[in-house]
Amino acid sequence: MTRYMNKNFLPLLLALSLAATATSCIKGSYSENYTTVDDFDYTNFALDNPDSTYHAGYFYGTSGTNVFNIKADEDKKYVAGFTISMLCDSVVKPGHVTRSEYCVANKAGAEHSPKGFAVYYQHPDPEQNVVNDINFVKLGLCTPKYVYVCNTNLVANLVKYGNDEIPPFVEGDYLDLTFKFYLDEQATTTQTVNLAKYDGSLSLLTDWTKVEFKDTGAYGYVDLVLTSNRSDLPLYCCIDEYAVGVIYER
């Protein structure tokens, strides 16, 4: 099961990690180079979370390499950021109402991660969103390798068919997901994937799609940014199998 921690410990944890990272850059007699994958398939997750979701606080990925953050209000209620989910709903048809906004528009998680995945929600008010969505918390330097992305069932049905309040996509409408990587508070690189677009015809991700991160250097944290020309569209997406390479020397 994922390790839950009091959110007040996170700044200290990150400070210690960054200090260790700086120390690990000094060439020494020991070197380690490995890859980790956060697949969100936590042991006994469904047993511990009967509704098959969790966003009561930030959480470690299954590899323990990254922390996935949330934003909560003064009453400690979820506002934005990541949710662990095992909910699936592949039905995309007129009038369909999904059972949860945390359902992926597929029958399972990504290719090698059939159970759990993470749902990211971006609040329409920028002030309500997470600062540093994903933090690297191991020793050494971390570089992203790949991730799988997909739409939620809610977004897929709204994009294709709309509802009484939100019309479906028309020519020129789009939804993009951008990964922004930072090291020492400085932006390094970005990479964008299209989740939905109407350009002559509608393209819509309802299959898990692998995004290879190219020409991306080391990072300390990552921000996810969902952008659309449609202000009425709720901004959700799903990620799975977040893979990174770690280099550690001492």
Side-chain angles (χ1 to χ4, degrees):
M1 182 59 195
T2 183
R3 295 171 290 173
Y4 307 122
M5 296 178 60
N6 187 307
K7 64 182 180 180
N8 293 328
F9 292 143
L10 184 57
L12 176 59
L13 174 65
L14 297 180
L16 292 174
S17 176
L18 290 173
T21 298
T23 302
S24 70
C25 293
I26 301 173
K27 187 174 181 180
S29 59
Y30 178 79
S31 179
E32 189 175 6
N33 190 335
Y34 59 95
T35 297
T36 69
V37 179
D38 289 319
D39 61 15
F40 308 103
D41 288 343
Y42 301 95
T43 304
N44 297 326
F45 180 79
L47 180 64
D48 294 335
N49 299 275
D51 64 352
S52 294
T53 62
Y54 173 85
H55 52 218
Y58 68 83
F59 55 89
Y60 283 91
T62 41
S63 72
T65 304
N66 292 281
V67 164
F68 295 79
N69 292 312
I70 75 158
K71 178 71 175 289
D73 62 18
E74 294 180 354
D75 296 323
K76 298 183 179 180
K77 293 182 179 179
Y78 172 80
V79 173
F82 285 101
T83 297
I84 307 169
S85 177
M86 294 178 62
L87 300 177
C88 303
D89 183 355
S90 61
V91 178
V92 180
K93 67 179 184 180
H96 178 66
V97 178
T98 187
R99 60 190 171 123
S100 171
E101 62 268 48
Y102 306 115
C103 288
V104 67
N106 202 279
K107 295 181 179 180
E111 183 177 1
H112 303 294
S113 171
K115 296 180 180 179
F117 51 90
V119 178
Y120 179 75
Y121 172 61
Q122 180 176 299
H123 197 281
D125 179 359
E127 296 297 321
Q128 299 300 317
N129 283 309
V130 178
V131 177
N132 303 1
D133 292 316
I134 305 173
N135 289 97
F136 170 59
V137 292
K138 282 284 190 178
L139 298 175
L141 293 174
C142 179
T143 57
K145 289 184 173 291
Y146 64 84
V147 68
Y148 283 81
V149 301
C150 192
N151 278 300
T152 63
N153 183 270
L154 171 65
V155 169
N157 274 283
L158 288 175
V159 165
K160 192 164 186 178
Y161 297 111
N163 61 20
D164 292 340
E165 298 178 352
I166 301 174
F169 269 26
V170 295
E171 184 68 27
D173 290 345
Y174 69 90
L175 173 63
D176 288 343
L177 169 62
T178 299
F179 295 85
K180 295 186 175 183
F181 298 93
Y182 295 81
L183 183 64
D184 298 330
E185 305 299 325
Q186 298 296 317
T188 56
T189 56
T190 64
Q191 189 155 335
T192 299
V193 56
N194 180 250
L195 298 176
K197 185 176 182 180
Y198 203 116
D199 185 10
S201 61
L202 179 65
S203 62
L204 175 67
L205 287 190
T206 54
D207 291 324
W208 285 102
T209 300
K210 188 175 184 180
V211 178
E212 299 273 4
F213 294 118
K214 301 181 183 299
D215 301 321
T216 304
Y219 75 87
Y221 67 90
V222 188
D223 280 338
L224 277 63
V225 180
L226 287 161
T227 54
S228 176
N229 65 306
R230 293 282 300 270
S231 61
D232 55 353
L233 186 70
L235 298 177
Y236 290 89
C237 69
C238 303
I239 69 167
D240 204 354
E241 295 189 42
Y242 180 66
V244 302
V246 179
I247 300 174
Y248 173 56
E249 292 182 348
R250 66 173 174 84

